[in-house]
Amino acid sequence: PTPIPPPMPDVEKVSVSVEVCLKHTSTARVEDVKCAVERLLENRSMSYVDGPIMVPQDDPFLEEHVQRICICDTDEWLENHDILLFWQVKPVVHVFQLSEEGPCEDLSEDGQPSSFNEWILPAKEFDGLWESLIYESSLKQRLLRYAASALLFTEKGVDPCLVSWNRIVLLHGPPGTGKTSLCKALAQKLAIRFNTRYPQCQLIEVNAHSLFSKWFSESGKMVAKLFSKIQEMVEEENNLIFVLIDEIESLAAARSAALSRSEPSDSIRVVNALLTQLDKLKSAPNVIILTTSNITTAIDIAFVDRADIKAYVGPPTVHARYEILRSCLQELLRAGVISTCHSEDNNFMLPSFFGLKERLSTIEVSEPLAKLDLCDQLLRAAESCEGLSGRSLRKLPFLAHAALENPFNCHINKFLQTMIATATRERSEL
Ligand code: ADP
């Protein structure tokens, strides 16, 4: 038997988030579910790794109300892929229910779609988005910690004249690297993590490009309408509001286009109105402004100055490419679109990038060679995708499938070969 570890003081333990998603039919009190899960974790003497924990079937209360329990962000504490033992961990349980309302698009008076969408968070549509985005160098953790600190400073009433910070995030980098998705996923995560303080949470998604181009003459009115709506939401102190402004570079474009024309006043006024409104919003404690740009140079300098965290989101590295393709293949196996020689494709797990490197260097005798060969092929596929964006990578398996001679229940080896050929073709068309 394993010796019982000595008790550890709480201060020395690391906090690990445990997210508990309620079934959409559940009407249980969050507090009750939280207690039940905490009890479950106390009795669990297993190490902590990211991923789902089984909802125990002998617990009718959890069975009835909980859809899934997931351990998150343990990798933040782990160097060299060690293991977090249960007695080193202080689990922090977050219970939430997904909103199934979908985007609520505001129609303008003439029935035209407006330039913004509103979501109630956490939304069903963004479920799993955070986990699906793969980046190097702990970009996601950095963003999460930054936003959490900003909310904490505000909450504690830190004087902004003495310590300055704001709640504006700017993600920039080439198109298709997941910036917009990352903003949405971040908002969703924060909505879950801060739901005790802010029981209501909304995301307003604005496309700056359409704000400035489609209805240019209407833009002034649009900006005014948008911000009066946001102001209203912000005044409710239990609301946490995320404003996502995509393609913020159109601000600069609109301004310089206006300057080069003879009558610049209109558009300048709109851009300035937007900046002034953003400044006003900054003073509200319960707003986080998330922005994206496909280029850095042309971003309105007035805007860049306002952003506190500017993170570059680059094209996926070979590690990220391997993981993106692995998740795609795993999904196609699950859905039964491709198959392995094993009878249970559903349970067939392709090793992660780190697992693979270890295995290739110390091939275990028990390891079926076919599986290793498969992973080696997946690694080659990832290498052959250099230069493709995350967006293109997620489409690649689909394109490869369409290129198959025999698309019905294709064997994974054949599929990988076709995927490498498709990637080569895609790259030549870049
Ligand atoms: P951007 O805003 O940078 O143009 P998007 O957020 O529109 O990019 O990304 C489109 C899709 O591409 C994402 O929803 C995701 O499926 C995929 N994607 C992009 N980058 C990554 C990544 N690093 N890891 C996983 N998926 C990615």
Side-chain angles (χ1 to χ4, degrees), residues 330 333 340 342 344-350 371 374 412:
Q330 207 71 63
L333 282 170
T340 64
H342 301 254
E344 287 194 43
D345 286 339
N346 263 340
N347 299 329
F348 184 87
M349 294 298 280
L350 288 156
K371 191 166 178 179
L374 189 61
I412 190 166

Side-chain angles (χ1 to χ4, degrees), residues 154-372:
T154 314
E155 183 65 36
K156 296 277 180 197
V158 175
D159 183 347
C161 299
L162 301 176
V163 181
S164 95
W165 81 98
N166 60 41
R167 287 168 299 280
I168 303 187
V169 176
L170 168 66
L171 301 183
H172 64 95
T177 47
K179 299 178 295 296
T180 313
S181 313
L182 185 53
C183 286
K184 290 178 176 168
L186 178 66
Q188 174 102 338
K189 270 280 140 171
L190 292 166
I192 293 171
R193 301 285 167 93
F194 283 85
N195 68 359
T196 320
R197 168 63 190 88
Y198 299 104
Q200 291 156 52
C201 186
Q202 277 116 317
L203 168 71
I204 306 218
E205 183 187 10
V206 188
N207 183 288
H209 186 66
S210 67
L211 191 65
F212 287 118
S213 65
K214 264 199 211 148
W215 300 278
F216 199 75
S217 56
E218 293 281 300
S219 286
K221 266 192 260 167
M222 287 278 205
V223 172
K225 189 176 157 200
L226 171 65
F227 280 89
S228 74
K229 188 183 168 83
I230 298 174
Q231 280 299 347
E232 242 172 63
M233 295 168 135
V234 165
E235 276 158 27
E236 170 58 60
E237 66 155 35
N238 285 338
N239 267 355
L240 177 59
I241 309 294
F242 294 93
V243 182
L244 163 59
I245 309 178
D246 236 346
E247 300 181 40
I248 194 87
E249 67 269 21
S250 1
L251 266 179
R255 206 199 306 243
S256 64
L259 286 174
S260 63
R261 279 205 299 270
S262 48
E263 21 63 86
S265 53
D266 244 19
S267 42
I268 288 275
R269 220 176 292 138
V270 176
V271 173
N272 289 349
L274 187 82
L275 290 173
T276 317
Q277 293 284 5
L278 285 176
D279 279 344
K280 249 209 244 164
L281 265 190
K282 254 176 30 182
S283 61
N286 48 345
V287 178
I288 292 193
I289 299 167
L290 306 163
T291 63
T292 75
S293 167
N294 287 332
I295 32 176
T296 319
T297 45
I299 306 175
D300 199 298
I301 194 72
F303 182 78
V304 174
D305 277 353
R306 284 166 168 82
D308 242 6
I309 189 168
K310 294 161 231 170
Y312 174 74
V313 184
T317 58
V318 68
H319 163 206
R321 297 199 295 273
Y322 179 97
E323 287 299 326
I324 293 172
L325 293 180
R326 179 168 77 100
S327 66
C328 291
L329 290 182
Q330 207 71 63
E331 176 61 10
L332 293 181
L333 282 170
R334 186 200 61 80
V337 175
I338 57 175
S339 64
T340 64
C341 304
H342 301 254
S343 50
E344 287 194 43
D345 286 339
N346 263 340
N347 299 329
F348 184 87
M349 294 298 280
L350 288 156
S352 72
F353 187 72
F354 291 111
L356 171 69
K357 278 206 308 198
E358 276 160 27
R359 281 185 206 209
L360 286 180
S361 59
T362 55
I363 292 180
E364 292 165 31
V365 187
S366 60
E367 197 70 44
L369 276 174
K371 191 166 178 179
L372 278 173

